[in-house]
Amino acid sequence: MPVTFTFGEMLSARSVIGSTLAELGDEHENLWVLTPDIGATLVEFRDKYPQRFLDVGLAEQACVGIAAGLAYDGNIPVVSGMLPFLSMRALEQVRSDVCYPNLPVKIIGTHGGLVGNGGSTHYAVEDLALMCALTNMTVTSIGDPLMVGEIIRQSMTMQGPIYIRLAVGKKDRVLYEPGQHDVRIGKGIVAREGTDATIFTHGTVVAQALDAAEELAKDGHSVRVVDMFTLKPIDEELISRCAVETNGRFVVVEDHLAYGGLASRVADVVADRNIHLSAFERLGIPQVYAGFGDDEELRNKHGYGLEATIAATRRAIAAQS
Amino acid sequence: MGHMSLTTGGSPHTVEELKELAFELRSKLLHLCGTYEGAVHIGGDLSAADIFTALYHYGLDVDPTDIANPARDRFVLSKGHAAVCMYIAMAMRGFFPYEGIVDTYGQLDSAYGMHPCKVHLPGVECSTGSLGHGLPLAVGMALSARGRGELHRVFCLLGDGETGEGSVWEAAMAARSNELGNLVAFVDRNRQLMTSFAEERVVFEPYPDKWAAFGWNVVNVDGHDMADLVGAIDRLPEVDSKRPTVVICETVKGKGVDFMERNLAWHAGSLGAADLERAMAALEASRDKESV
């Protein structure tokens, strides 16, 4: 069943994953779905293609290794689970079994960032740094629930591995009208136009950045929001363009360690391309184990919530050229 | 059993012929260990030499001239540090010229490195080296065969030391849970880790019971008795059966060279010209002793 939705509504990204995979199972007879004991939303695929569904139980390392074995044999395996475990417990399998031979294994999961209130064992906050470090890996972080389906679809024809990061994925704001943007892996999306500063972000924080831009517009500020959903390979051209078009004022906000994620990716491009900036504000998780609380409370506590984003953007706009 | 059906010419080797091939494999290993300047994992190569011979010259249904044939048996080298033993066994089977190994092993841009890489060396089924990774890969390949209704086997060679890795047992559980009777693990049970003997710091026993407890069909053989190895291969359960099989091969690390046997100093090393002569003499002597 295709997912129906309305722009601006809340939608479960997980249900999009489930229905997309079930749909793709028809087109791709070599599509497998594997999970380490996660995935009520995979039921549709499991019921349609029991021969190509594998729940290994609690065994992330074997799960990724088995996916690699399937890929060696010409299959397209999708591994779905919780990202703190797929990105860390199975890191060596991801690196040596999947990335080293450049196999088309798709890793898709939830709990990217301080979400779900599980505590630090259950938050993936280092994952983008780890995944971006791996040769051959494409790294994405998706906020718009419908985009998840599109990215999975595009990933089917990719030669190598891809990492697809979601937050909790139970209830996410639909950000884009269908067809509003040309969604392509490796290309950032200008989610809102603006000329005074650019907020770069990814995942569910895009919604927060759009709210911040809306708030700043009331004071006459024109703030661009870039959904840099592909962290690797990063859209260097767009970063260069934003520097010119938004007066050299960058703000990066993300639900990931402030060092090692998107901010670091953007800073690398700024350094490598010798881009002149007047302001570079970096908001993300500091070097702490964050504790408990709901998503918004944790963002506010750790300095990358809505108010902090507005304040940082004001600082960037006010900075001397 | 339908082994060798892909083979271009020739019936399976006899046990006597296989013994000769194993001797040749050991000689070539020692030659490399004596001429290559860096360290060779000679101890674990020599313990696995008979297993490699039994697999590449008898058990594996492969065609060196058609390495992508979907009906071929798959071989996963989980103990990746025995790569050079696999390279030479494959060369002897006709996959690539032996000279290429001797001339370039370990050198810049060589296809033949310390641990095998599929990207650099087609014919090798997968890139391995980090221990505990091979069995999950083999499970994936066996599942793939099952999914397509193909009737080849997936073989995986592990060292006993590496079965300390938890991922091995995750995969063992997955293999049983998914009824992969098309999966066959060989364990080179040489009872040595790099720096200690088995049971000294790590208790493996009761070793066959561990595999049995995971629901595997367990076969115990003398890993240096070619008739035993061939017998185990002949008696493998049907490919479409439900239990994965582990062939636990009792072996001696450094087998065939007396001063290397059960010697922790020879996990990896390099023979000089003088020691190469000594090692070759020891290998000859060990063969003479066996044939008496």
Side-chain angles (χ1 to χ4, degrees):
Chain A
M1 279 288 290
V3 178
T4 54
F5 68 96
T6 311
F7 176 66
E9 269 189 355
M10 305 305 264
L11 176 68
S12 156
R14 294 188 194 189
S15 70
V16 176
I17 296 173
S19 59
T20 304
L21 290 174
E23 194 186 308
L24 288 170
D26 288 326
E27 291 168 44
H28 302 274
E29 288 181 354
N30 56 348
L31 174 64
W32 282 68
V33 175
L34 298 89
T35 180
D37 192 33
I38 298 287
T41 53
L42 304 175
V43 168
E44 198 178 336
F45 185 93
R46 186 194 70 193
D47 291 347
K48 270 177 92 174
Y49 312 103
Q51 295 299 320
R52 292 188 270 139
F53 177 82
L54 180 68
D55 180 353
V56 293
L58 295 160
E60 287 80 7
Q61 295 175 74
C63 192
V64 175
I66 290 168
L70 284 163
Y72 269 121
D73 221 31
N75 299 290
I76 304 174
V78 174
V79 177
S80 179
M82 285 177 68
L83 294 178
F85 316 126
L86 291 176
S87 70
M88 292 189 288
R89 190 191 286 258
L91 176 58
E92 205 202 0
Q93 277 77 13
V94 172
R95 189 265 200 183
S96 292
D97 298 344
V98 173
C99 291
Y100 177 31
N102 198 22
L103 297 172
V105 174
K106 326 296 171 191
I107 295 169
I108 182 163
T110 58
H111 294 77
L114 300 182
V115 295
N117 204 5
S120 287
T121 53
H122 284 57
Y123 302 141
V125 300
E126 307 90 346
D127 61 324
L128 296 173
L130 296 167
M131 292 298 125
C132 284
L134 303 178
T135 299
N136 290 332
M137 182 62 99
T138 294
V139 182
T140 65
S141 168
I142 315 292
D144 182 89
L146 289 163
M147 219 168 101
V148 174
E150 179 56 28
I151 296 304
I152 294 173
R153 212 164 271 119
Q154 287 185 22
S155 77
M156 289 297 114
T157 51
M158 283 176 61
Q159 292 299 306
I162 183 169
Y163 182 81
I164 303 171
R165 180 201 219 228
L166 306 178
V168 175
K170 279 186 179 164
K171 224 171 123 185
D172 303 293
R173 199 160 101 194
V174 175
L175 301 172
Y176 312 123
E177 301 271 10
Q180 183 184 356
H181 298 289
D182 178 21
V183 175
R184 267 183 299 156
I185 294 168
K187 292 288 168 201
I189 291 173
V190 179
R192 180 186 173 109
E193 275 299 352
T195 52
D196 295 341
T198 302
I199 302 176
F200 292 97
T201 184
H202 57 82
T204 53
V205 184
V206 175
Q208 176 184 299
L210 288 169
D211 290 345
E214 186 66 32
E215 197 58 35
L216 287 158
K218 291 175 188 166
D219 301 334
H221 296 305
S222 167
V223 175
R224 179 178 293 187
V225 175
V226 169
D227 180 351
M228 199 62 101
F229 71 90
T230 312
L231 280 87
K232 189 186 169 206
I234 192 114
D235 190 345
E236 296 192 23
E237 290 305 324
L238 181 56
I239 293 170
S240 290
R241 196 150 56 80
C242 289
V244 174
E245 294 173 355
T246 68
N247 210 14
R249 282 132 218 278
F250 282 6
V251 179
V252 187
V253 193
E254 60 186 319
D255 203 357
H256 182 273
L257 291 181
Y259 288 81
L262 179 62
S264 297
R265 305 288 300 166
V266 172
D268 283 350
V269 175
V270 167
D272 290 347
R273 292 199 161 203
N274 200 20
I275 294 171
H276 174 75
L277 294 182
S278 299
F280 185 86
E281 293 279 344
R282 180 198 298 257
L283 276 65
I285 305 165
Q287 287 276 309
V288 296
Y289 290 101
F292 304 103
D294 75 24
D295 308 1
E296 199 182 333
E297 289 169 337
L298 288 169
R299 283 184 197 178
N300 290 335
K301 177 181 175 186
H302 294 293
Y304 62 103
L306 178 63
E307 291 309 317
T309 305
I310 293 168
T313 310
R314 284 191 203 281
R315 281 197 304 277
I317 292 169
Q320 295 289 319
S321 294
Chain B
M1 106 136 258
H3 64 262
M4 291 291 175
S5 63
L6 294 180
T7 308
T8 47
S11 54
H13 293 278
T14 65
V15 167
E16 284 311 311
E17 286 167 339
L18 290 167
K19 281 184 183 172
E20 277 307 310
L21 288 164
F23 180 83
E24 186 187 335
L25 174 54
R26 285 197 169 86
S27 304
K28 288 183 153 86
L29 277 167
L30 291 177
H31 177 76
L32 191 87
C33 192
T35 51
Y36 174 62
E37 284 180 7
V40 172
H41 286 96
I42 192 70
D45 288 331
L46 290 170
S47 66
D50 298 300
I51 302 167
F52 272 113
T53 302
L55 286 174
Y56 272 101
H57 294 281
Y58 187 81
L60 288 176
D61 187 10
V62 290
D63 178 354
T65 65
D66 187 10
I67 58 173
N69 190 321
R72 74 194 186 278
D73 284 343
R74 310 295 196 270
F75 176 72
V76 176
L77 180 62
S78 195
K79 52 172 286 182
H81 54 290
V84 73
C85 195
M86 178 174 72
Y87 301 151
I88 296 174
M90 290 178 80
M92 288 171 63
R93 184 72 175 74
F95 279 85
F96 25 73
Y98 167 65
E99 290 70 29
I101 304 168
V102 182
D103 293 346
T104 72
Y105 179 76
Q107 293 173 19
L108 182 66
D109 296 332
S110 173
Y112 308 99
M114 186 184 286
H115 301 100
C117 177
K118 185 190 172 67
V119 178
H120 292 129
L121 187 60
V124 164
E125 292 287 355
C126 51
S127 302
T128 51
S130 178
L131 296 173
H133 286 236
L135 197 58
L137 294 172
V139 167
M141 292 179 187
L143 271 171
S144 176
R146 275 286 158 87
R148 296 198 190 118
E150 291 169 351
L151 289 175
H152 57 266
R153 287 197 171 87
V154 180
F155 291 85
C156 180
L157 176 60
L158 301 99
D160 57 346
E162 79 165 296
T163 60
E165 301 283 1
S167 51
V168 171
W169 301 103
E170 290 183 13
M173 224 160 155
R176 173 68 187 92
S177 303
N178 290 281
E179 305 185 330
L180 299 177
N182 56 348
L183 176 65
V184 184
F186 276 71
V187 176
D188 178 6
R189 177 101 170 95
N190 62 31
R191 296 175 184 259
Q192 279 180 238
L193 292 79
M194 184 164 70
T195 63
S196 71
F197 290 95
E199 313 306 314
E200 271 184 358
R201 288 173 207 156
V202 182
V203 175
F204 289 81
E205 290 293 348
Y207 194 68
D209 294 357
K210 287 190 164 67
W211 287 95
F214 275 74
W216 284 52
N217 171 39
V218 181
V219 179
N220 295 288
V221 302
D222 177 343
H224 300 308
D225 183 325
M226 197 57 77
D228 229 11
L229 286 166
V230 163
I233 291 166
D234 284 342
R235 285 189 296 275
L236 284 175
E238 292 302 315
V239 176
D240 57 2
S241 63
K242 292 188 169 178
R243 271 175 189 249
T245 294
V246 59
V247 182
I248 299 173
C249 308
E250 280 295 339
T251 57
V252 173
K253 202 159 172 175
K255 174 69 179 178
V257 180
D258 55 5
F259 62 89
M260 291 179 173
E261 287 185 2
R262 296 194 178 88
N263 183 348
L264 290 175
W266 281 103
H267 169 76
S270 184
L271 290 159
D275 279 338
L276 172 58
E277 213 169 296
R278 217 176 117 221
M280 293 300 264
L283 184 63
E284 287 285 356
S286 108
R287 174 159 74 165
D288 293 343
K289 206 167 80 188
E290 226 165 71
S291 59
V292 171

